[in-house]
mmCIF file of all heavy atoms in Angstrom:
data_model
loop_
_atom_site.group_PDB
_atom_site.id
_atom_site.type_symbol
_atom_site.label_atom_id
_atom_site.label_comp_id
_atom_site.label_asym_id
_atom_site.label_seq_id
_atom_site.Cartn_x
_atom_site.Cartn_y
_atom_site.Cartn_z
ATOM 1 N N ALA C 4 2.057 -14.668 2.104
ATOM 2 C CA ALA C 4 1.787 -13.445 1.369
ATOM 3 C C ALA C 4 2.140 -13.594 -0.108
ATOM 4 O O ALA C 4 3.046 -14.316 -0.479
ATOM 5 C CB ALA C 4 2.590 -12.285 1.969
ATOM 6 N N SER C 6 0.744 -14.983 -2.852
ATOM 7 C CA SER C 6 0.746 -16.305 -3.462
ATOM 8 C C SER C 6 0.715 -16.252 -4.986
ATOM 9 O O SER C 6 1.244 -17.150 -5.656
ATOM 10 C CB SER C 6 -0.439 -17.124 -2.942
ATOM 11 O OG SER C 6 -1.666 -16.487 -3.258
ATOM 12 N N ALA C 12 8.384 -15.803 -8.638
ATOM 13 C CA ALA C 12 9.376 -15.741 -7.562
ATOM 14 C C ALA C 12 9.620 -17.071 -6.883
ATOM 15 O O ALA C 12 10.647 -17.251 -6.236
ATOM 16 C CB ALA C 12 8.927 -14.711 -6.519
ATOM 17 N N ALA C 23 10.238 -7.268 1.530
ATOM 18 C CA ALA C 23 10.956 -6.168 0.878
ATOM 19 C C ALA C 23 9.982 -5.127 0.347
ATOM 20 O O ALA C 23 10.241 -3.914 0.460
ATOM 21 C CB ALA C 23 11.844 -6.713 -0.239
ATOM 22 N N PHE C 24 8.878 -5.569 -0.243
ATOM 23 C CA PHE C 24 7.850 -4.618 -0.697
ATOM 24 C C PHE C 24 7.401 -3.743 0.464
ATOM 25 O O PHE C 24 7.305 -2.508 0.328
ATOM 26 C CB PHE C 24 6.620 -5.362 -1.226
ATOM 27 C CG PHE C 24 6.800 -6.127 -2.495
ATOM 28 C CD1 PHE C 24 5.810 -7.013 -2.904
ATOM 29 C CD2 PHE C 24 7.921 -5.985 -3.283
ATOM 30 C CE1 PHE C 24 5.936 -7.733 -4.077
ATOM 31 C CE2 PHE C 24 8.071 -6.722 -4.456
ATOM 32 C CZ PHE C 24 7.066 -7.591 -4.847
ATOM 33 N N THR C 28 7.910 0.278 0.926
ATOM 34 C CA THR C 28 6.714 1.113 1.036
ATOM 35 C C THR C 28 6.752 1.948 2.309
ATOM 36 O O THR C 28 6.513 3.170 2.274
ATOM 37 C CB THR C 28 5.455 0.228 1.030
ATOM 38 O OG1 THR C 28 5.405 -0.552 -0.164
ATOM 39 C CG2 THR C 28 4.189 1.089 1.126
ATOM 40 N N VAL C 35 8.099 11.158 3.855
ATOM 41 C CA VAL C 35 7.234 12.278 3.508
ATOM 42 C C VAL C 35 6.971 13.113 4.763
ATOM 43 O O VAL C 35 6.460 12.598 5.761
ATOM 44 C CB VAL C 35 5.894 11.779 2.902
ATOM 45 C CG1 VAL C 35 4.964 12.951 2.618
ATOM 46 C CG2 VAL C 35 6.166 10.980 1.632
ATOM 47 N N VAL C 44 -0.343 -2.933 11.061
ATOM 48 C CA VAL C 44 -1.107 -3.908 11.843
ATOM 49 C C VAL C 44 -0.663 -5.291 11.408
ATOM 50 O O VAL C 44 -0.920 -5.714 10.275
ATOM 51 C CB VAL C 44 -2.622 -3.727 11.632
ATOM 52 C CG1 VAL C 44 -3.407 -4.746 12.459
ATOM 53 C CG2 VAL C 44 -3.046 -2.303 11.998
ATOM 54 N N ALA C 49 8.567 -11.300 12.683
ATOM 55 C CA ALA C 49 9.739 -10.939 11.878
ATOM 56 C C ALA C 49 9.455 -9.687 11.070
ATOM 57 O O ALA C 49 10.273 -8.755 11.017
ATOM 58 C CB ALA C 49 10.127 -12.093 10.966
ATOM 59 N N ALA C 50 8.284 -9.633 10.427
ATOM 60 C CA ALA C 50 7.927 -8.452 9.656
ATOM 61 C C ALA C 50 7.784 -7.242 10.567
ATOM 62 O O ALA C 50 8.233 -6.136 10.228
ATOM 63 C CB ALA C 50 6.639 -8.693 8.880
ATOM 64 N N LEU C 54 9.957 -3.779 10.166
ATOM 65 C CA LEU C 54 9.289 -2.507 9.868
ATOM 66 C C LEU C 54 9.416 -1.527 11.026
ATOM 67 O O LEU C 54 9.533 -0.314 10.814
ATOM 68 C CB LEU C 54 7.835 -2.769 9.512
ATOM 69 C CG LEU C 54 7.632 -3.634 8.259
ATOM 70 C CD1 LEU C 54 6.159 -3.987 8.062
ATOM 71 C CD2 LEU C 54 8.175 -2.944 7.023
ATOM 72 N N LEU C 74 -7.225 -2.633 8.721
ATOM 73 C CA LEU C 74 -7.043 -1.235 8.345
ATOM 74 C C LEU C 74 -7.882 -0.300 9.210
ATOM 75 O O LEU C 74 -7.414 0.754 9.632
ATOM 76 C CB LEU C 74 -7.395 -1.048 6.865
ATOM 77 C CG LEU C 74 -6.454 -1.717 5.862
ATOM 78 C CD1 LEU C 74 -7.016 -1.599 4.459
ATOM 79 C CD2 LEU C 74 -5.055 -1.106 5.931
ATOM 80 N N VAL C 81 -4.282 5.091 15.338
ATOM 81 C CA VAL C 81 -3.735 6.422 15.095
ATOM 82 C C VAL C 81 -4.516 7.463 15.884
ATOM 83 O O VAL C 81 -3.945 8.318 16.583
ATOM 84 C CB VAL C 81 -3.769 6.761 13.596
ATOM 85 C CG1 VAL C 81 -3.418 8.237 13.368
ATOM 86 C CG2 VAL C 81 -2.791 5.886 12.819
ATOM 87 N N ALA C 83 -6.362 7.075 18.457
ATOM 88 C CA ALA C 83 -6.294 6.933 19.917
ATOM 89 C C ALA C 83 -5.255 7.882 20.491
ATOM 90 O O ALA C 83 -5.397 8.349 21.624
ATOM 91 C CB ALA C 83 -5.965 5.486 20.284
ATOM 92 N N ALA C 91 -4.892 7.690 6.509
ATOM 93 C CA ALA C 91 -4.882 7.097 5.175
ATOM 94 C C ALA C 91 -4.405 5.667 5.266
ATOM 95 O O ALA C 91 -3.526 5.351 6.078
ATOM 96 C CB ALA C 91 -3.975 7.893 4.233
ATOM 97 N N LEU C 131 -6.476 5.012 0.413
ATOM 98 C CA LEU C 131 -7.783 5.510 0.879
ATOM 99 C C LEU C 131 -7.526 6.440 2.047
ATOM 100 O O LEU C 131 -6.765 6.105 2.945
ATOM 101 C CB LEU C 131 -8.681 4.357 1.303
ATOM 102 C CG LEU C 131 -10.025 4.730 1.945
ATOM 103 C CD1 LEU C 131 -10.969 5.339 0.902
ATOM 104 C CD2 LEU C 131 -10.669 3.501 2.593
ATOM 105 N N SER C 147 -12.243 -3.224 -5.715
ATOM 106 C CA SER C 147 -12.558 -2.266 -4.636
ATOM 107 C C SER C 147 -12.803 -0.856 -5.141
ATOM 108 O O SER C 147 -13.397 -0.041 -4.426
ATOM 109 C CB SER C 147 -11.445 -2.257 -3.597
ATOM 110 O OG SER C 147 -10.207 -1.894 -4.182
ATOM 111 N N ILE C 149 -14.913 0.204 -7.383
ATOM 112 C CA ILE C 149 -16.350 0.452 -7.468
ATOM 113 C C ILE C 149 -16.963 0.505 -6.081
ATOM 114 O O ILE C 149 -17.878 1.311 -5.812
ATOM 115 C CB ILE C 149 -17.056 -0.603 -8.363
ATOM 116 C CG1 ILE C 149 -18.503 -0.213 -8.622
ATOM 117 C CG2 ILE C 149 -16.954 -1.995 -7.766
ATOM 118 C CD1 ILE C 149 -18.659 1.060 -9.407
ATOM 119 N N SER C 166 3.740 5.488 -9.294
ATOM 120 C CA SER C 166 4.343 4.673 -8.244
ATOM 121 C C SER C 166 3.383 4.410 -7.091
ATOM 122 O O SER C 166 3.554 3.443 -6.343
ATOM 123 C CB SER C 166 5.615 5.337 -7.716
ATOM 124 O OG SER C 166 5.330 6.439 -6.876
ATOM 125 N N THR C 173 1.291 -9.898 -9.330
ATOM 126 C CA THR C 173 1.700 -10.895 -10.316
ATOM 127 C C THR C 173 3.096 -10.565 -10.842
ATOM 128 O O THR C 173 3.649 -9.499 -10.576
ATOM 129 C CB THR C 173 0.723 -10.894 -11.506
ATOM 130 O OG1 THR C 173 0.843 -9.654 -12.208
ATOM 131 C CG2 THR C 173 -0.717 -11.087 -11.047
ATOM 132 N N ALA C 190 14.925 -4.002 -4.947
ATOM 133 C CA ALA C 190 15.942 -4.033 -6.003
ATOM 134 C C ALA C 190 17.025 -5.055 -5.703
ATOM 135 O O ALA C 190 17.548 -5.713 -6.610
ATOM 136 C CB ALA C 190 16.535 -2.644 -6.182
ATOM 137 N N ALA C 197 15.645 -13.086 -11.814
ATOM 138 C CA ALA C 197 15.675 -12.330 -13.066
ATOM 139 C C ALA C 197 15.215 -13.163 -14.244
ATOM 140 O O ALA C 197 14.479 -12.701 -15.107
ATOM 141 C CB ALA C 197 17.083 -11.784 -13.316
ATOM 142 N N ALA C 199 13.100 -15.667 -14.268
ATOM 143 C CA ALA C 199 11.648 -15.869 -14.237
ATOM 144 C C ALA C 199 10.904 -14.627 -14.677
ATOM 145 O O ALA C 199 9.861 -14.725 -15.317
ATOM 146 C CB ALA C 199 11.216 -16.267 -12.832
ATOM 147 N N PRO C 203 6.827 -14.800 -19.882
ATOM 148 C CA PRO C 203 5.458 -14.260 -19.855
ATOM 149 C C PRO C 203 4.614 -14.979 -18.838
ATOM 150 O O PRO C 203 4.763 -16.189 -18.639
ATOM 151 C CB PRO C 203 4.957 -14.491 -21.290
ATOM 152 C CG PRO C 203 5.779 -15.627 -21.799
ATOM 153 C CD PRO C 203 7.146 -15.469 -21.152
#
Side-chain angles (χ1 to χ4, degrees):
S6 60
F24 292 169
T28 302
V35 177
V44 180
L54 298 173
L74 292 173
V81 171
L131 174 70
S147 59
I149 189 65
S166 75
T173 67

